[in-house]
C-alpha cells in the first residue's frame, strides 16, 4: 500500500519520519506479528508525530479486507469493533494511520475473555529505581521458574519492565488477576523491603517499585513486544535475554538500533507461544482459587 506523507517528521529529536516508522515495522514484522495476531488492537493515533496531539480510537474505521475486526461488548453496555492485525499489510495500514504504538489486549479471538499470558509489570514509583527493577525482575523469574512458567522479560519502552508468562487460554481475566496478585505478593515477600518492591495499591503510599498485577484485567492493553513508544528517542519495547536483565539500559533499544540487535541476538521471544501451560494446577501453590464468579462473556463473532 502507499504510505501517505512518508516524509512527515514523527520524531523531531532524532529526525525520524513516518516513512522510517513504517519501514521499521515492516522490517521487524516477523518478530512482532506473533504477539499481535488475533488480539483486539487499541489505536492511539499520532497523526502529526510525538510532539503533537494524539487521540484514542477503539472502533476501527473503514478498512481493507486484510484488516480483521472483532465486536466487543463492555459491561457499561457500550460496544465497539476493534481492529485485528494479523499480517504485514494490516500492520502497515495501522502505522499509516499514525499508530506509533502497538497496543493490544492480553487475549485473542475467539477467546477474548481468556488471556493467553500473565503479566507482571514492574513500575517505578519515582526516578532512580531502575536498579531495583532489575533486581525484582530476577526474583519474578525465580518464582515463575518454581511454578513451571516460562518467563519472558522485555523493556516497557517507557520507565518499567514487563515479564510475560504464556498460558493456556482457559481462565477468565479475574482468575488471572487473582493469580498474578498472589505471585506479586510472593515476590514482595521475598524481597522483604518496601523501599525496593511493593504491591501497595494506593499510589501515594508506595515507596518502592510497584509489582503491578492489575494489568491482568479485561480491556487493559500493553505496548507489545517490538512496539515503538512515543518518546523523543523513538524507544522500543524490547524483548530481553535473561542474562541481559541485570545490566540492561532501556535507552539502548530504539528504532535505529533494533534491526542490528535482532541480527545479533535473534528474537528472544521465538517459540514463546508454543510454551503455554495451564495455570489451574498452580493456584493451590500460591494459596488461591480459580473459578470464582465473573461476568458473562460479551463476545459476538462477526
Amino acid at each position: 500500500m502507499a504510505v501517505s506523507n512518508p516524509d512527515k517528521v514523527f520524531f523531531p529529536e532524532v529526525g525520524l519520519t513516518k516513512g522510517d516508522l513504517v519501514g521499521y515495522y515492516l522490517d521487524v514484522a516477523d518478530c512482532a506479528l506473533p504477539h499481535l495476531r488475533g488480539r483486539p488492537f487499541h489505536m492511539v493515533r499520532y497523526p502529526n508525530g510525538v510532539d503533537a496531539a494524539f487521540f484514542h480510537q477503539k472502533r476501527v474505521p473503514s478498512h481493507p479486507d486484510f484488516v480483521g475486526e472483532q465486536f466487543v461488548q463492555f459491561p457499561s453496555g457500550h460496544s465497539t469493533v476493534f481492529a485485528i492485525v494479523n499480517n504485514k499489510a494490516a500492520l502497515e495500514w495501522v502505522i499509516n494511520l499514525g499508530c506509533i504504538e502497538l497496543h493490544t489486549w492480553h487475549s485473542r479471538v475467539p477467546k477474548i475473555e481468556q488471556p493467553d499470558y500473565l503479566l507482571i509489570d514492574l513500575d517505578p514509583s519515582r526516578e532512580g529505581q531502575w536498579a531495583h527493577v532489575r533486581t525484582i525482575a530476577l526474583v519474578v523469574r525465580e518464582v515463575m521458574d518454581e511454578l513451571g512458567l516460562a518467563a519472558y522479560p522485555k523493556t516497557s519502552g517507557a520507565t518499567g519492565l514487563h515479564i510475560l508468562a504464556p498460558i493456556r487460554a482457559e481462565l477468565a481475566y479475574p482468575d488471572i488477576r487473582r493469580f498474578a496478585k498472589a505471585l506479586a505478593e510472593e515476590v514482595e515477600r521475598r524481597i522483604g523491603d518496601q523501599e525496593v518492591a511493593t504491591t501497595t495499591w494506593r499510589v501515594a503510599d508506595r515507596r518502592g517499585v510497584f509489582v503491578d498485577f492489575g494489568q491482568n484485567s479485561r480491556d487493559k492493553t500493553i505496548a507489545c513486544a517490538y512496539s515503538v513508544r512515543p518518546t523523543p528517542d523513538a524507544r522500543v519495547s524490547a524483548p530481553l535475554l535473561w542474562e541481559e536483565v541485570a545490566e540492561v539500559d532501556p535507552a539502548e533499544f530504539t528504532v535505529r538500533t533494533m534491526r542490528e540487535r535482532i541480527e545479533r541476538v535473534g528474537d528472544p521471544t521465538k517459540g514463546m507461544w508454543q510454551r503455554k501451560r495451564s495455570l489451574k494446577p498452580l493456584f493451590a501453590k500460591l494459596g488461591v482459587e480459580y473459578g470464582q464468579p465473573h461476568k458473562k462473556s460479551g463476545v459476538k463473532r462477526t
Side-chain angles (χ1 to χ4, degrees):
M1 61 170 280
V3 176
S4 61
N5 301 312
D7 296 327
K8 181 180 286 187
V9 177
F10 263 31
F11 296 87
E13 185 170 299
V14 291
L16 289 171
T17 66
K18 182 180 182 180
D20 293 327
L21 184 67
V22 171
Y24 161 80
Y25 275 121
L26 291 179
D27 286 346
V28 304
D30 289 344
C31 296
L33 282 170
H35 304 283
L36 286 166
R37 289 190 181 102
R39 301 190 188 279
F41 186 94
H42 179 126
M43 295 183 178
V44 185
R45 296 176 61 179
Y46 294 77
N48 295 302
V50 296
D51 289 348
F54 66 91
F55 61 96
H56 293 261
Q57 184 175 2
K58 292 185 177 181
R59 182 172 295 276
V60 60
S62 178
H63 55 278
D65 291 343
F66 54 72
V67 178
E69 60 179 46
Q70 177 63 43
F71 175 90
V72 174
Q73 184 85 38
F74 297 102
S76 65
H78 296 292
S79 65
T80 194
V81 177
F82 284 93
I84 302 292
V85 178
N86 286 336
N87 51 66
K88 282 187 178 183
L91 178 57
E92 185 177 15
W93 183 79
V94 295
I95 305 308
N96 190 49
L97 290 179
C99 296
I100 290 173
E101 303 174 274
L102 308 178
H103 281 286
T104 55
W105 277 37
H106 303 343
S107 51
R108 306 182 197 249
V109 295
K111 294 184 175 182
I112 69 164
E113 300 300 334
Q114 291 84 38
D116 71 345
Y117 67 83
L118 176 148
L119 171 68
I120 296 295
D121 180 5
L122 302 182
D123 184 14
S125 301
R126 58 179 64 90
E127 291 184 6
Q129 293 186 320
W130 183 248
H132 292 338
V133 168
R134 295 183 298 197
T135 297
I136 299 164
L138 297 177
V139 179
V140 173
R141 183 194 187 188
E142 176 184 279
V143 175
M144 287 187 174
D145 281 351
E146 291 174 8
L147 291 168
L149 295 172
Y152 289 85
K154 70 181 184 71
T155 62
S156 71
T159 61
L161 191 141
H162 297 154
I163 303 169
L164 282 68
I167 59 175
R168 292 182 188 169
E170 60 186 2
L171 294 172
Y173 277 98
D175 289 320
I176 307 306
R177 187 182 187 278
R178 193 175 300 117
F179 186 93
K181 180 180 180 183
L183 193 156
E185 289 171 343
E186 174 61 17
V187 171
E188 177 187 43
R189 185 191 68 77
R190 294 190 188 192
I191 295 289
D193 185 346
Q194 287 291 305
E195 299 292 335
V196 176
T198 185
T199 60
T200 299
W201 194 253
R202 188 167 182 267
V203 175
D205 293 337
R206 295 177 196 159
R207 302 192 304 275
V209 173
F210 184 40
V211 186
D212 187 359
F213 52 87
Q215 295 296 325
N216 297 279
S217 300
R218 189 180 191 269
D219 197 29
K220 291 281 190 179
T221 64
I222 62 167
C224 76
Y226 299 101
S227 173
V228 181
R229 305 304 303 272
T231 58
D233 57 353
R235 200 168 293 192
V236 171
S237 180
L240 303 172
L241 302 171
W242 272 110
E243 53 264 35
E244 297 177 302
V245 170
E247 301 293 335
V248 67
D249 178 359
E252 297 174 0
F253 311 114
T254 69
V255 167
R256 292 196 187 280
T257 66
M258 282 299 291
R259 295 175 181 88
E260 183 277 331
R261 171 176 169 78
I262 293 169
E263 290 180 3
R264 179 168 47 85
V265 305
D267 175 14
T269 64
K270 185 177 181 179
M272 172 178 173
W273 302 110
Q274 283 70 57
R275 300 187 67 189
K276 298 177 184 179
R277 70 157 300 175
S278 176
L279 283 188
K280 289 181 178 180
L282 306 181
F283 275 74
K285 293 185 177 182
L286 292 177
V288 289
E289 298 179 356
Y290 68 87
Q292 296 182 18
H294 55 271
K295 292 185 178 180
K296 185 178 180 181
S297 169
V299 180
K300 183 173 75 176
R301 300 295 294 275
T302 59

